[in-house]
Amino acid sequence: MKPWLPEHITLASGAGGRAMRHLVEHVFLQDAPEVADGDVGPLAMDDGAALRIGERWLVLTTDSYVVKPLFFPGGDIGRLAICGTVNDLAMMGATEVVGLTCGVIVEEGFARADLERIQASMRAACTQAGVRVVTGDTKVMARGELDGLVLNTAGAALTDRVVRDNGLQPGDKLLLSGTVGEHGMAIAAARSGMEFQGDLRSDVAPLGSLVRALLAAGGADVVALKDPTRGGIASAVHEMAQKSGVGVVLDGPALPMLPAVRAMAELLGIDPLHVANEGKALIGVRPWAAHKVLEALREHPQGRDAAIIGTAHAEHVGQVILDTGLGRRLLREPEGEPLPRIC
Amino acid sequence: MKPWLPEHITLASGAGGRAMRHLVEHVFLQDAPEVADGDVGPLAMDDGAALRIGERWLVLTTDSYVVKPLFFPGGDIGRLAICGTVNDLAMMGATEVVGLTCGVIVEEGFARADLERIQASMRAACTQAGVRVVTGDTKVMARGELDGLVLNTAGAALTDRVVRDNGLQPGDKLLLSGTVGEHGMAIAAARSGMEFQGDLRSDVAPLGSLVRALLAAGGADVVALKDPTRGGIASAVHEMAQKSGVGVVLDGPALPMLPAVRAMAELLGIDPLHVANEGKALIGVRPWAAHKVLEALREHPQGRDAAIIGTAHAEHVGQVILDTGLGRRLLREPEGEPLPRIC
């Protein structure tokens, strides 16, 4: 059934939740191409596409970045653009990155010093991630036609095995590689002009090395990967549940969260489960391997706060239930990220 | 020597000419990564990157599209985004396209009907080119933060042989696959609001099939490929001459041009050699194979107007000389495309 679609694009259309999914499904995926058996194409709406080349898969992914402000506590649009694309590749199990591309669109009058700062940040993020931007493109729009600068990165990586976001079966454990909500809350705080952000910083980081470590530990028992970006944990777990045909019960008290995030969330009235993370992975693991994978995560510098946060069930298919410790409630699929231009 | 760079980005910084080259060289390519011998990386500033995978090369390319107006005689931004990326791949000799990615950034309030029209146009261009968009991304910016809609496409293709833009040697012939200047002049005419555009239409078209045909005919004697987009023939031939270390003499009377382009160029005072083409290829060919390649081009529906337009020389290295039939003059490297947002 075709859902109601607005005649004009709204901010929610790009916010990573239900509204965006409907737009993508009913506009961008009209007559979308089929791909070969075993390949992952656009209809899968996964973090990227996977196409067989010989004995392996080439994974392709792309994201545009419109984050506001361009520089924020813990990072900037350049670091975000590198990490976002590296992470989308990693979330398909593809950590052998062939190369990234980068498209820059900038407003006339933009300070060259800021461009150089963003460029240096991209270069540093590439070094940290062990990847390269191999080709790029520059466009300029006139003053007033674009708010500053936007970036697009695409990436190509090879893998012997594609990990999807739809592989959960009843009984599987859901792991999270670290604390929840820093990127979204840091942006929200920066935008609200709050001076007392304290140690609230975006978690933006490349996850290739972490994913290599967890795949080395869990092998084929790692059955699903997804990074909870726009729309946060709530959107990402809903997507995994719906695509896998399971229900997921989240163990609320087990969700790792920094006190600064909790405090800012209460102050701003924003649910930290609804905001973007930019350096975290959700990992679906067969029950018998969950502790082994958790251990591997915790031994990794980026996974010290990792936790088992949920379990897949045969009931409540497509739904996410939050066990708060005091009771259970349905966690609704968000319409979208509460803040526009979060990434 | 570091050239003078403006403190703030100007429209010329994105116009495909000398100003853009300086910005890219001195900002984006600072500490750019080296690539393996035989690979093509960012420092080559070619139409894309080529990275060895086993016995073959994976070619990656990206472009953002900011054309204004979004719909123009002969095409629209969607068709442009597909053809532009397919053509950049083809200009590296890579016509076996694995897949394209597409990032859409749209302004709040944009009409869904226009989005659907652009989407349908992309789909049709993909069908014509025999390629697929395999993954995408959608972002929305608030009203006033972006002028309508911009697109980014990236592409990945495989090839056994990479064709560069720097392969010209003295004596080599330069071929052009068809008439000059339609895209740029059609946009200029549309933007000036001229009603009597007549048959002036953008030439935007995918060139994969044409490139396959010319490579089949010319093989290793095809030594250079480049599509004369932003900055037109003048920019593209300068780049080929500079990178190849040759001078190029262009045979002015041999340059194929539609009367409508000539008329509009005179009316608007724009040099048709300086404006973008979006469905044409410049082809460097060893002298003994030039006629064979020309014949193959002319047998192709997209190459009926192909011509031998120039010759590479050992003199005037890096320069382009236009032989008008009445005399010779230096064709200057344009600062950039005369019109912003041409593609």
Side-chain angles (χ1 to χ4, degrees):
Chain A
M1 197 187 73
K2 189 161 172 167
W4 177 82
L5 287 176
E7 286 306 308
H8 295 89
I9 301 306
T10 64
L11 285 174
S13 311
R18 185 162 38 193
M20 187 176 91
R21 185 159 54 78
H22 286 164
L23 179 74
V24 171
E25 282 172 356
H26 296 281
V27 177
F28 296 123
L29 295 181
Q30 281 304 302
D31 312 308
E34 298 282 336
V35 291
D37 255 8
D39 284 5
V40 181
L43 293 167
M45 294 182 72
D46 208 323
D47 297 294
L51 305 154
R52 198 178 269 278
I53 290 190
E55 302 290 297
R56 314 186 71 190
W57 275 272
L58 183 73
V59 175
L60 296 176
T61 186
T62 191
D63 265 312
S64 301
Y65 299 87
V66 299
V67 67
K68 185 181 180 172
L70 295 175
F71 303 94
F72 48 80
D76 58 62
I77 192 171
R79 180 170 171 82
L80 192 61
I82 298 299
C83 296
T85 288
V86 165
N87 293 351
D88 277 346
L89 294 171
M91 293 306 119
M92 303 290 286
T95 60
E96 191 183 316
V97 179
V98 183
L100 305 188
T101 69
C102 178
V104 179
I105 312 179
V106 56
E107 183 185 14
E108 179 189 16
F110 193 81
R112 178 163 57 87
D114 283 344
L115 203 57
E116 286 170 346
R117 192 173 153 203
I118 290 165
Q119 170 63 17
S121 169
M122 294 185 84
R123 196 74 71 203
C126 281
T127 302
Q128 188 187 351
V131 302
R132 308 173 295 187
V133 173
V134 293
T135 189
D137 175 60
T138 310
K139 294 286 190 302
V140 179
M141 294 174 79
R143 223 178 275 267
E145 292 179 342
L146 175 69
D147 182 21
L149 173 139
V150 298
L151 296 179
N152 175 283
T153 47
L158 291 165
T159 186
D160 295 321
R161 174 174 170 244
V162 175
V163 183
R164 301 283 304 274
D165 58 4
N166 66 353
L168 293 178
Q169 290 177 9
D172 286 347
K173 293 296 176 187
L174 192 63
L175 281 63
L176 180 64
S177 67
T179 49
V180 163
E182 279 115 278
H183 178 74
M185 295 313 306
I187 296 284
R191 225 182 275 171
S192 73
M194 296 204 180
E195 288 302 319
F196 58 104
Q197 297 159 12
D199 51 355
L200 191 51
R201 297 164 62 82
S202 168
D203 60 333
V204 55
L207 293 172
S209 135
L210 181 93
V211 167
R212 266 192 297 276
L214 74 88
L215 288 175
D221 291 328
V222 175
V223 294
L225 285 172
K226 193 160 199 72
D227 54 344
T229 55
R230 272 183 291 179
I233 300 281
S235 268
V237 178
H238 265 98
E239 222 179 308
M240 295 175 89
Q242 285 163 9
K243 290 181 180 178
S244 302
V246 298
V248 171
V249 176
L250 288 181
D251 177 4
L255 276 164
M257 196 181 301
L258 295 178
V261 167
R262 201 181 300 271
M264 188 60 73
E266 282 175 13
L267 204 63
L268 297 178
I270 294 174
D271 188 337
L273 295 187
H274 284 197
V275 302
N277 308 271
E278 294 291 344
K280 300 291 152 48
L282 286 161
I283 307 132
V285 185
R286 294 279 178 258
W288 52 85
H291 280 92
K292 192 167 56 178
V293 171
L294 180 64
E295 218 165 277
L297 282 169
R298 287 187 170 165
E299 277 168 20
H300 192 280
Q302 290 175 282
R304 279 190 298 249
D305 298 317
I308 297 177
I309 64 158
T311 308
H313 292 271
E315 301 82 40
H316 304 291
V317 168
Q319 300 192 319
V320 181
I321 288 151
L322 182 67
D323 188 333
T324 62
L326 302 168
R328 292 182 163 203
R329 67 173 175 88
L330 205 63
L331 189 69
R332 283 195 308 183
E333 182 184 7
E335 265 300 299
E337 177 77 32
L339 293 162
R341 297 182 61 183
I342 200 76
C343 64
Chain B
M1 197 187 72
K2 190 160 172 169
W4 177 80
L5 288 175
E7 287 304 307
H8 295 89
I9 301 306
T10 64
L11 285 174
S13 311
R18 186 161 37 191
M20 187 176 91
R21 186 159 52 78
H22 287 164
L23 179 74
V24 170
E25 281 172 356
H26 296 281
V27 177
F28 295 123
L29 295 182
Q30 281 304 301
D31 310 308
E34 298 283 338
V35 292
D37 255 8
D39 285 4
V40 181
L43 292 166
M45 294 182 71
D46 208 323
D47 297 295
L51 305 155
R52 198 178 267 281
I53 289 191
E55 302 290 298
R56 313 186 73 189
W57 276 273
L58 183 72
V59 175
L60 297 175
T61 188
T62 190
D63 265 312
S64 302
Y65 298 88
V66 299
V67 68
K68 183 179 180 173
L70 295 175
F71 303 94
F72 48 81
D76 58 63
I77 192 170
R79 179 169 172 82
L80 192 61
I82 298 301
C83 297
T85 288
V86 165
N87 293 352
D88 277 346
L89 294 170
M91 293 307 120
M92 304 289 289
T95 60
E96 192 183 315
V97 179
V98 183
L100 305 187
T101 69
C102 179
V104 180
I105 312 180
V106 56
E107 183 185 14
E108 179 189 16
F110 193 82
R112 179 163 57 87
D114 283 344
L115 203 57
E116 286 169 346
R117 192 173 153 204
I118 291 165
Q119 169 63 15
S121 168
M122 294 185 84
R123 196 73 71 202
C126 280
T127 301
Q128 188 187 350
V131 301
R132 309 173 292 187
V133 172
V134 294
T135 189
D137 175 60
T138 311
K139 294 286 188 306
V140 179
M141 293 173 80
R143 221 177 276 267
E145 292 179 340
L146 175 69
D147 182 21
L149 172 140
V150 298
L151 297 178
N152 175 284
T153 48
L158 291 166
T159 187
D160 294 322
R161 174 174 170 245
V162 175
V163 183
R164 302 283 303 275
D165 57 4
N166 66 352
L168 293 179
Q169 291 177 9
D172 286 348
K173 293 295 177 189
L174 192 62
L175 281 63
L176 179 64
S177 67
T179 49
V180 164
E182 280 117 278
H183 179 75
M185 295 313 306
I187 297 284
R191 228 183 271 171
S192 72
M194 296 202 179
E195 288 303 320
F196 58 103
Q197 299 160 9
D199 51 357
L200 191 51
R201 297 164 63 82
S202 168
D203 60 334
V204 55
L207 293 172
S209 137
L210 181 92
V211 168
R212 266 193 297 275
L214 73 89
L215 288 175
D221 291 328
V222 174
V223 293
L225 286 171
K226 193 159 199 74
D227 54 344
T229 55
R230 273 184 290 178
I233 300 282
S235 268
V237 178
H238 265 99
E239 222 179 308
M240 296 175 90
Q242 286 164 10
K243 291 181 179 177
S244 302
V246 298
V248 172
V249 176
L250 289 182
D251 177 4
L255 276 164
M257 197 181 300
L258 295 178
V261 166
R262 201 180 299 272
M264 188 60 73
E266 282 174 15
L267 204 64
L268 297 178
I270 294 174
D271 187 337
L273 295 187
H274 285 198
V275 303
N277 308 272
E278 295 291 343
K280 300 292 154 45
L282 285 161
I283 308 131
V285 186
R286 295 278 179 257
W288 52 84
H291 281 92
K292 191 168 58 179
V293 171
L294 181 64
E295 218 165 275
L297 282 169
R298 287 188 170 163
E299 277 168 19
H300 192 280
Q302 290 175 282
R304 278 189 299 249
D305 299 317
I308 297 178
I309 64 158
T311 308
H313 292 271
E315 300 83 39
H316 303 291
V317 168
Q319 299 192 320
V320 181
I321 288 151
L322 182 65
D323 187 335
T324 62
L326 303 168
R328 291 182 164 203
R329 66 172 175 89
L330 205 63
L331 189 69
R332 283 197 308 185
E333 183 185 6
E335 266 300 299
E337 177 78 32
L339 293 161
R341 297 181 63 182
I342 199 76
C343 64

